[in-house]
Amino acid sequence: MAEPLPPTRPRIPGSGLAKGLAVTLRTMTKKTVTAQYPDAQPELPPRSRGVIGLFEENCTVCMLCARECPDWCIYIDSHKETVPPAAPGGRERSRNVLDRFAIDFSLCMYCGICIEVCPFDALFWSPEFEYAETDIHELTHERDKLREWMWTVPAPPALDPGAEEPKELAAARKTADKLAAEAATAAEAAELTAQTAEQPAQPEPPASGTTTTTDATAGTTTGTGRGTTAGTTPVTPEPSKPSDPQDGAS
């Protein structure tokens, strides 16, 4: 035989309404948790899946990210170039050169498979998420745009205080130092060219073996070179006296 149910208390009319009002009053006295975006920016974790950045120097065009993408939203174009031998007598090698790397974020579902399968650490997550567009075609980010997102990627935390510097930071610093050195060299060359153009032209010295004399009577300058005369005043020879006939008779 089943046990009888315990007796229920009689419900007071309006008790449910009173409980609802009590919850409302308790919530009204607490601080709001609604973030007034975009006036208040959300505090996201450093490894949030916002947008994908491309570190082009590490990309070898292996096509693993494009093949493993379940949405087929990664577009890669490349061509082959011949590399001369590193040592005399060696053979030439060919390497892939990246022409296009684009991601269509209107198709991307942010699964992160492309970043996980990349064997050379060329793709990274950036916490930036404010890249909405009014035109869907603008959501296809080309390699230049993906490189700009790379500079918003936070630095990975070190595994321990004595760990080596992350290789992506070392590669980025090496590239930045190289570009800075090239810019400094170009600036020095431009400054040297400007200084050379501002200097007045100096008069050429006289040729060797040339003497300069001044004629006091005529007030002209004569220059005598090697066996030549230039700018000299002509000298008129004096007329010869007629011969005396007596000299011939004697």
Side-chain angles (χ1 to χ4, degrees):
M1 184 176 179
E3 296 181 0
L5 297 175
T8 59
R9 296 179 181 180
R11 298 187 60 180
I12 302 175
S15 60
L17 178 61
K19 290 181 180 180
L21 291 175
V23 173
T24 303
L25 292 175
R26 286 198 304 268
T27 306
M28 290 176 61
T29 58
K30 293 182 180 179
K31 186 179 180 179
T32 179
V33 295
T34 302
Q36 300 299 326
Y37 178 82
D39 297 332
Q41 293 292 330
E43 295 182 1
L44 301 176
R47 288 297 176 183
S48 299
R49 296 186 177 186
V51 69
I52 299 175
L54 170 67
F55 193 64
E56 189 176 332
E57 284 75 7
N58 289 353
C59 182
T60 60
V61 201
C62 63
M63 305 293 290
L64 279 177
C65 56
R67 287 199 295 264
E68 297 295 333
C69 178
D71 292 334
W72 293 90
C73 63
I74 301 178
Y75 313 107
I76 300 176
D77 292 332
S78 65
H79 69 278
K80 290 185 176 294
E81 286 186 357
T82 302
V83 180
R91 65 184 183 88
E92 296 181 347
R93 298 180 180 272
S94 61
R95 66 183 181 93
N96 292 325
V97 179
L98 184 65
D99 293 331
R100 186 196 181 198
F101 195 110
I103 299 178
D104 188 356
F105 286 101
S106 64
L107 300 176
C108 179
M109 64 179 185
Y110 303 91
C111 62
I113 293 178
C114 57
I115 298 176
E116 295 176 2
V117 301
C118 180
F120 300 102
D121 293 333
L123 298 174
F124 298 89
W125 278 118
S126 169
E128 298 293 332
F129 63 93
E130 297 177 318
Y131 51 92
E133 300 289 347
T134 56
D135 187 0
I136 194 173
H137 297 92
E138 298 296 331
L139 288 175
T140 301
H141 294 184
E142 298 291 338
R143 56 192 289 188
D144 297 336
K145 186 65 175 179
L146 295 176
R147 185 177 182 85
E148 293 179 3
W149 292 125
M150 184 62 203
W151 307 122
T152 62
V153 175
L159 298 179
D160 67 63
E164 297 181 356
E165 184 181 34
K167 55 185 179 180
E168 55 264 25
L169 291 181
R173 184 173 291 105
K174 182 178 179 181
T175 304
D177 294 342
K178 182 179 178 181
L179 294 176
E182 293 178 355
T185 303
E188 291 179 359
E191 184 178 358
L192 182 60
T193 304
Q195 291 179 357
T196 305
E198 291 178 358
Q199 291 180 356
Q202 298 180 356
E204 298 181 357
S208 59
T210 304
T211 58
T212 304
T213 59
T214 304
D215 191 352
T217 58
T220 59
T221 303
T222 61
T224 305
R226 298 180 178 178
T228 61
T229 58
T232 58
T233 304
V235 180
T236 305
E238 297 180 358
S240 60
K241 297 181 180 181
S243 60
D244 194 354
Q246 295 180 358
D247 295 340
S250 59

